[in-house]
């Protein structure tokens, strides 16, 4: 098993490959160097507040669904990285080399264009719809994988009906990165945060639905530390 790691702390320019005989050996080294030393966190194996299956995970497999190729979403260059049938094929392929019981599958873009359709959080019709999604979940769980779905807690897309339910607690963020490269896609969203109850209620309902209806084993809440406020004084202009 190859492992790429940083030559110097927080240096992402140069990587070195090191070979390990197994995922367990790789995980044990990473647990010490990255989790205990570099991040000063308690390893999962020492915690009692998480499911037991989490302690057996050794590898994260990322399967992207729908995404963007150009900065402007819904216009040109959108791609389908995987539909649900292709995702199932990838899982069967990986299972030939690694134990699926030690792999967690992280899925951004599973519900439509990545970061542009929140909070739809339902199977995308063009990727295979609910029927295709259910077959993917059955395949994944039969092989032994755990599925983690991508969620955004900090924005609501203008294209979704939920926008009208949360607009009073949201705002259009003036971000200098908007209009530059991939961040331009965020111009399709209204920024909000979970301290606004109408949005929190919607978000929690979608989280529950992900587990009860769509078979998710977990969710990844992206950029959960964001907290945007609608009513903030505008900066004064210098005269």
């Amino acid at each position: 098993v190859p492992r790429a790691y940083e030559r110097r702390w927080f240096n992402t320019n140069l990587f070195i490959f090191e070979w390990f005989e197994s995922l367990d050996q790789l995980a044990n080294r990473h647990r010490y160097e990255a989790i205990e030393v570099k991040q000063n966190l308690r390893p999962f194996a020492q915690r009692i507040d998480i499911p037991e299956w989490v302690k057996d995970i050794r590898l994260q497999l990322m399967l992207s669904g729908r995404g963007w190729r150009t900065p402007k979403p819904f216009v040109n260059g959108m791609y389908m990285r995987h539909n649900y049938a292709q995702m199932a094929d990838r899982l069967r392929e990986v299972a030939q080399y690694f134990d699926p019981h030690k792999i967690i599958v992280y899925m951004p873009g599973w519900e439509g264009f990545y970061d542009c359709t929140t909070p739809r959080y339902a199977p995308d019709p063009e990727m295979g719809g609910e029927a295709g999604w259910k077959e993917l979940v059955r395949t994944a769980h039969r092989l032994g994988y755990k599925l983690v779905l991508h969620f955004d807690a900090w924005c609501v897309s203008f294209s979704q009906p939920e926008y009208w339910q949360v607009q009073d607690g949201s705002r259009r963020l003036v971000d200098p990165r908007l209009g530059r490269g991939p961040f331009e896609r965020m111009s399709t969203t209204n920024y909000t945060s979970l301290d606004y109850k109408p949005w929190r209620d919607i978000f929690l309902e979608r989280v529950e639905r992900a587990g009860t209806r769509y078979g998710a084993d977990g969710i990844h809440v992206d950029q959960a530390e964001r907290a945007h406020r609608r009513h903030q004084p505008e900066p004064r202009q210098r005269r």
Side-chain angles (χ1 to χ4, degrees), residues 210-234:
T212 59
R213 181 171 178 176
Y214 299 133
D217 300 292
I219 67 165
H220 167 75
V221 182
D222 195 35
Q223 302 189 56
E225 77 283 359
R226 284 179 177 256
H228 299 296
R229 303 292 190 272
R230 176 179 175 83
H231 302 293
Q232 292 183 343
E234 295 294 331

Side-chain angles (χ1 to χ4, degrees), residues 23-40:
L23 286 177
D24 288 324
Q25 190 182 59
L26 169 59
N28 288 335
R29 175 76 69 83
H30 174 77
R31 181 183 300 119
Y32 173 73
E33 292 181 352
I35 297 178
E36 296 185 53
V37 176
K38 191 172 181 180
Q39 301 179 26
N40 196 28

